[in-house]
């Protein structure tokens, strides 16, 4: 609707219907632009730094207590973990499935890591590396992933979403 036509309609509605008509006219013709201009920016994700070293140290300390060899950090697994932590934080959702439908195995492969086996631990809400490792060790499935003797490499990452929650991803794998 052209500007002059909108003005004539607004004047007629104001004369016949009053303020309610003007509000209705804005609602019918002008709100789409207003909503687009006032929409908040997409949620910001902040990568949480300095989490991998303490998590790997805790994992390897626990594996040693179980008589299992340690795992070594691998940048490809770290990249896969970080992209998934960011994705979870963007969606404010803890999940093993990526927003594109991917599994951890697919995300690991995408980073160029040829694996024979893999496992993924995710968590949300823990504020420190120690808290997240404790949570994983208190969960049978997550603990079993950490205790898997076949795992040789690890990647760990965290991201804080606009909701203020920290989302964690740990990827463990063994090369082909």
């Amino acid at each position: 609707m052209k500007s002059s036509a909108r003005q004539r309609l607004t004047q007629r509605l104001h004369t016949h219907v009053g303020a309610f008509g003007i509000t209705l006219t804005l609602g019918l013709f002008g709100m789409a632009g207003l909503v687009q201009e006032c929409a908040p920016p997409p949620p910001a994700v902040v990568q949480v730094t300095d989490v991998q070293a303490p998590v790997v140290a805790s994992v390897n300390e626990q594996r040693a207590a179980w008589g299992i060899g340690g795992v070594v950090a691998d940048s490809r697994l770290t990249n896969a973990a970080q992209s998934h932590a960011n994705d979870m934080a963007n969606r404010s959702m803890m999940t093993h499935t990526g927003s594109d439908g991917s599994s951890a195995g697919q995300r690991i492969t995408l980073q160029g890591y040829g694996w024979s086996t893999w496992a993924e631990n995710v968590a949300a809400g823990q504020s420190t590396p120690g808290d997240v490792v404790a949570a994983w060790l208190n969960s049978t499935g997550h603990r079993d992933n950490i205790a898997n003797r076949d795992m040789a490499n690890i990647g760990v990452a965290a991201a804080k979403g606009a909701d203020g929650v920290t989302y964690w991803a740990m990827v463990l794998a063994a090369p082909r």
Side-chain angles (χ1 to χ4, degrees):
M1 177 177 278
K2 295 195 180 211
S3 179
S4 61
R6 183 179 294 163
Q7 288 172 344
R8 284 192 306 273
L9 178 60
T10 301
Q11 287 172 348
R12 274 187 292 201
L13 284 171
H14 188 276
T15 302
H16 291 68
V17 201
F20 177 75
I22 292 173
T23 304
L24 180 62
T25 303
L26 276 174
L28 293 174
F29 302 110
M31 288 303 287
L34 183 62
V35 170
Q36 289 174 354
E37 290 176 26
C38 296
V45 170
V46 177
Q47 292 183 6
V48 180
T49 58
D50 301 326
V51 297
Q52 181 160 273
V55 170
V56 173
S58 294
V59 164
N60 282 338
E61 182 179 309
Q62 187 60 57
R63 285 172 65 96
W66 293 330
I68 303 169
V71 289
V72 176
D74 183 283
S75 62
R76 297 165 295 180
L77 298 183
T78 302
N79 291 339
Q82 189 67 67
S83 69
H84 190 55
N86 292 351
D87 185 44
M88 290 189 295
N90 271 323
R91 296 189 290 157
S92 299
M93 175 191 299
M94 183 182 73
T95 178
H96 288 285
T97 305
S99 59
D100 60 357
S102 64
S103 69
Q106 291 167 321
R107 292 187 292 273
I108 294 166
T109 300
L110 186 63
Q111 293 298 322
Y113 186 99
W115 50 268
S116 61
T117 189
W118 60 266
E120 177 182 68
N121 289 353
V122 296
Q126 295 80 10
S127 57
T128 69
D131 292 341
V132 76
V133 171
W136 285 330
L137 291 174
N138 285 320
S139 164
T140 303
H142 296 107
R143 185 176 55 248
D144 289 349
N145 289 340
I146 292 169
N148 186 329
R149 293 176 182 277
D150 295 333
M151 300 303 177
N153 298 116
I154 188 171
V156 181
K160 186 175 280 195
D163 59 1
V165 175
T166 301
Y167 295 85
W168 298 83
M170 171 197 288
V171 182
L172 298 149
R176 250 186 264 159

